[in-house]
Amino acid sequence: MRAALDALLDGLPPRQTAAAVERLIAHYRGATPTGAPVLRDRADVAAYAAYRMPATFEAAASALEALAVRVPGWRPSSHLDLGGGTGAAVWAAARTWGDAAGGQDAADPPGEGGATRATTVLDWAAPALDLGRTLAAAAPSAALRATEWRSQRLARGGTAAADGAEPGGPGTADLVTVSYVLGELTAADRESAVADAAAAGRAVVVVEPGTPDGYLRVRAARDVLVAAGLTVLAPCPHSDRCPIVPGEDWCHFSARVSRSSLHRQVKGGSLPYEDEKFGYVAAVRPGTGAPAGEPSVARVVRKPQLRKGQVLLDLCTDTGGLRRETVSKRQGPLYRAARDTGWGAEWPPPQP
């Protein structure tokens, strides 16, 4: 994806892009829904591609990889990306599962091992879809090149349900993603979009910025998914009520994002990377054709604290509560595992 972006944005004036970037940053950190697409014209789309798309890609990839760990051996045969814009989530799916449709060896080249994953991106911003189509056309992934890009408003009755995913008839797509778009919707449309995703998908992944407001949107989406009969597999180790008290803390994680030279020019940064904070929920619908998996026993919800001879882990547990676990040097292999464990990781680590 980085190579495709660099080729497309080569020669883009950084000063011309900076104002649009600042407006995008204000939106992603804000709490007020716009009621309209954030990416309104080519200038916005170029700014997004230069600044936001790599971060959205890394966040979405982290969430999809967390789901993949919980459903080993499963690959989606179809992917519906609601509000997908320029397609960061479909690039993330390609990194996570390759091109092969479910039931195939992901190492089999398309055409030799069978069909590739069928992918559709729905969004209401035509400039974003146009850029996504252009980027995907140059992708090494056959599934990306074959993606269908469709203009459709994300509102009540205008998302998955309008495309044949009737309530009560789940399973239209193996995977449905909703990433970095709920903040653009009103509360009513937001709930409807997530309900449509739940009706359409065997597995649903929602990703939002890792802010307190982004957490509240993920939390509300999680409630809708659970009420629709889906089981949460990540990051939560349970499908019960989230134990975090809103206003006191929020659940979020971090993904490392490499910065392009244009990115550094636009933002005036010098480091070759930044850390993208994000929140997510991944859930599956039990039943025929659905991915089979179980949540982890616990997940690390804060950066581990290293002390002399100790590692302090803040965990969300399968009993529905938050607790701190102290792992001491006397615990040998478990202590070494704790020292290598990162923020957002499962605990204890999965056995190979």
Side-chain angles (χ1 to χ4, degrees):
M1 188 186 74
R2 177 68 70 185
L5 279 173
D6 288 346
L8 185 69
L9 300 172
D10 184 40
L12 186 69
R15 289 186 180 180
Q16 182 180 333
T17 311
V21 166
E22 291 300 329
R23 188 180 66 78
L24 286 175
I25 293 172
H27 165 76
Y28 284 114
R29 291 177 179 171
T32 305
T34 63
V38 172
L39 304 180
R40 300 175 298 196
D41 53 36
R42 269 199 84 79
D44 283 351
V45 171
Y48 174 83
Y51 182 71
R52 286 301 317 165
M53 189 175 177
T56 303
F57 164 75
E58 292 294 348
S62 294
L64 294 180
E65 287 160 9
L67 171 63
V69 169
R70 301 317 310 166
V71 287
W74 177 79
R75 282 180 304 279
S77 295
S78 54
H79 179 190
L80 175 63
D81 188 20
L82 299 181
T86 56
V90 298
W91 284 82
R95 187 175 89 176
T96 303
W97 288 292
D99 283 343
Q104 297 175 207
D105 186 339
D108 289 341
E112 296 180 25
T116 60
R117 183 173 51 258
T119 303
T120 302
V121 177
L122 302 183
D123 200 274
W124 54 352
L129 291 170
D130 289 343
L131 178 63
R133 188 181 295 109
T134 300
L135 290 171
S141 162
L144 278 168
R145 294 194 301 272
T147 296
E148 182 181 359
W149 303 84
R150 294 169 53 188
S151 179
Q152 190 161 313
R153 181 176 175 81
L154 299 182
R156 280 178 288 181
T159 54
D163 280 84
E166 298 296 335
T172 300
D174 281 350
L175 173 68
V176 177
T177 50
V178 187
S179 62
Y180 283 71
V181 70
L182 294 181
E184 300 178 30
L185 307 178
T186 64
D189 286 347
R190 192 180 301 151
E191 181 175 353
S192 179
V194 177
D196 281 348
R202 294 185 176 93
V204 179
V205 179
V206 177
V207 189
E208 282 289 300
T211 63
D213 292 304
Y215 160 68
L216 292 177
R217 292 192 291 271
V218 171
R219 182 182 174 122
R222 181 183 185 276
D223 290 344
V224 172
L225 296 175
V226 172
L230 278 71
T231 299
V232 177
L233 292 189
C236 321
H238 59 83
S239 295
D240 297 331
R241 185 175 181 83
C242 177
I244 294 175
V245 178
E248 294 184 5
D249 201 355
W250 70 99
C251 182
H252 64 293
F253 305 97
S254 182
R256 180 60 53 91
V257 183
S258 62
R259 283 172 163 172
S260 67
S261 59
L262 176 62
H263 188 164
R264 293 196 295 271
Q265 291 177 58
V266 169
K267 292 306 298 169
S270 58
L271 291 176
Y273 66 87
E274 69 176 15
D275 291 324
E276 170 70 5
K277 304 300 191 299
F278 69 98
Y280 75 99
V281 61
V284 300
R285 181 179 293 279
T288 304
E294 296 290 336
S296 60
V297 174
R299 191 170 297 271
V300 181
V301 293
R302 285 182 178 274
K303 186 176 181 180
Q305 299 180 48
L306 302 181
R307 300 285 188 268
K308 186 175 181 180
Q310 293 182 332
V311 180
L312 278 54
L313 301 176
D314 290 302
L315 305 173
C316 182
T317 68
D318 59 355
T319 57
L322 299 169
R323 66 178 173 85
R324 172 169 288 184
E325 180 172 324
T326 300
V327 184
S328 73
K329 196 170 184 178
R330 288 177 295 179
Q331 292 173 269
L334 194 63
Y335 171 74
R336 290 191 290 275
R339 287 185 61 86
D340 293 335
T341 291
W343 180 12
E346 298 178 4
W347 185 259
Q351 296 300 311

